Structures are given as C-alpha cells and as structure tokens.
Amino acid sequence: MIKAQLEEVRFQISEAAKKVGRDPKEITLIAVSKTYPSSAIEEAILEGCLDFGENHVQELCQKIEEISEPVNWHLIGHLQTNKVKYIVGKTQLIHSLDRLKLAEEIERQSEKKNIITKVLLEVNVANEASKHGFKLEEVMNAVEQISQMKHIKVEGLMTVAPFVENPEDNRTIFRKLYGLSVDIQNQKFDNISTSILSMGMSNDYKIAIEEGATMIRVGTAIFGNRDYSKA
Ligand SMILES: *Cc1c(COP(=O)(O)O)cnc(C)c1O
C-alpha cells in the first residue's frame, strides 16, 4: 500500500510542478511518519524515501535508534525548550523554530556540540490562535536577531496552513509565505538563506507546489490514516 500511495504522490508532485513550469526535482518529499511504526519507515525507504518528518522529540529519537539507514530526519512539530538538548545534532532540519527563546536554546546547545543547526522559521500566516509560529509582522525582526547566532543557520520558512475542505482556500496562505521569503531575500541578511519553503500537507500539497513549495510534508497520503490511540 505504501508503495502505491508513494507512486501516486510522486505523480501528483510532478503534475503540479509541470503545471507551473517547475522542475519536480526542486521539490523534496518529506514522508511524515509520526505515529507510524518503524516498519512503515523501512517500507518507504525501500521505495526510495530519504526524508522523514516527526513531531515529537521522544518518538524521533526512538526511530533514529531503530532505523539504521542513513536517512534525513526532520523535526516538524512544536519543540519545547527543555527538549532541545536531546535533538540537536540529530536532525537534517528543524522546521518549527517559532520563538526567539527557542532559537537561543538551539544556539546554546549547538555551540556546546560545536555544530551548526539548520532551521526554518515557522510562520503562523493565517494568525490562528491554535497554531504556533511567528506572526507575519514579527518575522523580519526574528530573522535579523537569529542572523547574529553563529550556530544556527536559517534555511527558509515553514507554515502549517489551516485545515480546509477545499485546498484552493489555502492558496493565499502559501502565496503570502512565498512573498515573505522574497522580502527576506531582498534584505540580504548575513547568514540567512531563503532557499527552502516548507509548505503543503496531504490535503493541499499540490496547491503549495504551484505557489513555490520546495519541501512538502505528507503523512496520510503515504501511510494512511493515523491511529492516535496507540501513539
Ligand atoms: C502531521 C503533520 C503533517 C502531515 O500531515 P498529513 O495531513 O498527514 O499529510 C505535516 N506537517 C506537520 C507540521 C504535521 O504535524
């Protein structure tokens, strides 16, 4: 089942990219494996998946132990400051940098380990009370401050769009995140890249690709519905 679903998602990625004249190779598919067992990850690895996204530090650390293949691990969920020490050095990318206090802790822990941690700034584009992330108007100041931190490298922006019945309704959200990334690029901050735009999930990744996503985070469309009772 994972094989067939992956084929379908890859086909849709390529169709969405072609529709707007983009090269599908510009888009990295992150298989969101939260709540699924490591056996599902192994299955996806056999089908050529290299990037996996997890929400919780503990679950991520456990899966890193269980999976021996050298895959890229992405932390995509809210990160508590006191958990940073467990995760720094283990991720390809942290997508959910959503406050300056967290940046300071990632800086501190990365300095201790003498590494540079790659992050995306999470932006709450729709300004939803239930969501984490910088407000649109806070991002520029945050970027400026984080650009001073020597052990953090900002690689771009991420957003979790609202859940909507019609994915078209999220098009303006994705367009705003893209616009913000262009604005940041134009400021020419030191030590800041805007090359990654992490946006789009199972429900709306095709629209996100049309609006410039370079990473999409897809769980259910690959692995099926999640069973939270076992999580
Ligand atoms: C769970 C999750 C996803 C994947 O959601 P699906 O709808 O299953 O594709 C993507 N991003 C984040 C931040 C998530 O928490």
Side-chain angles (χ1 to χ4, degrees):
M1 186 179 90
I2 289 175
K3 179 184 165 77
Q5 312 246 63
L6 258 174
E7 272 170 17
E8 173 64 16
V9 170
R10 286 177 175 143
F11 174 75
Q12 296 294 345
I13 291 172
S14 127
E15 289 295 297
K18 274 190 226 152
K19 188 173 163 191
V20 292
R22 298 183 61 196
D23 181 348
K25 291 200 198 73
E26 289 171 16
I27 296 136
T28 302
L29 171 61
I30 299 174
V32 176
S33 46
K34 65 185 183 201
T35 76
Y36 296 101
S38 289
S39 57
I41 298 178
E42 297 283 3
E43 219 179 313
I45 292 171
L46 287 176
E47 300 308 323
C49 270
L50 295 171
D51 291 84
F52 292 90
E54 288 285 338
N55 271 41
H56 297 293
V57 168
Q58 201 184 344
E59 188 176 349
L60 175 52
C61 289
Q62 191 186 331
K63 284 172 173 168
I64 291 173
E65 290 287 308
E66 289 172 4
I67 303 289
S68 52
E69 289 88 346
V71 297
N72 300 320
W73 295 104
H74 298 257
L75 185 73
I76 62 175
H78 182 65
L79 177 55
Q80 286 170 271
T81 313
N82 62 0
K83 301 256 171 82
V84 171
K85 57 178 174 288
Y86 303 118
I87 202 74
V88 148
K90 295 187 176 174
T91 56
Q92 171 73 19
L93 189 62
I94 296 174
H95 293 229
S96 44
L97 176 51
D98 58 3
R99 58 203 191 280
L100 282 171
K101 272 263 165 295
L102 179 61
E104 285 161 12
E105 179 61 10
I106 295 173
E107 169 67 15
R108 190 161 37 237
Q109 296 296 338
S110 303
E111 184 173 16
K112 263 195 197 170
K113 295 199 166 121
N114 198 21
I115 57 169
I116 293 172
T117 300
K118 292 182 189 173
V119 302
L120 304 178
L121 298 201
E122 180 172 355
V123 187
N124 186 354
V125 180
N127 221 345
E128 290 177 281
S130 61
K131 293 251 169 75
H132 297 286
F134 292 101
K135 294 186 178 141
L136 275 172
E137 65 271 21
E138 295 171 342
V139 174
M140 207 55 91
N141 175 53
V143 166
E144 195 169 355
Q145 302 215 31
I146 297 167
S147 72
Q148 315 289 320
M149 301 181 187
K150 296 198 165 55
H151 301 84
I152 296 187
K153 180 76 204 299
V154 174
E155 297 282 349
L157 303 175
M158 176 270 215
T159 197
V160 180
F163 181 79
V164 288
E165 287 295 325
N166 179 2
E168 270 298 334
D169 294 346
N170 278 337
R171 191 181 287 281
T172 52
I173 303 280
F174 299 140
R175 203 168 276 178
K176 277 186 192 165
L177 195 71
Y178 177 83
L180 178 60
S181 103
V182 172
D183 290 347
I184 294 170
Q185 199 177 353
N186 289 339
Q187 297 285 321
K188 305 210 185 310
F189 293 108
D190 290 335
N191 189 34
I192 299 286
S193 160
T194 51
S195 61
I196 297 176
L197 267 187
S198 168
M199 56 188 197
M201 313 189 352
S202 292
N203 190 42
D204 54 19
Y205 68 88
K206 287 177 267 182
I207 306 292
I209 289 169
E210 289 176 27
E211 296 300 329
T214 68
M215 280 187 179
I216 56 171
R217 308 178 309 269
V218 179
T220 11
I222 296 172
F223 297 109
N225 285 325
R226 280 181 287 272
D227 180 357
Y228 281 103
S229 67
K230 285 191 248 155

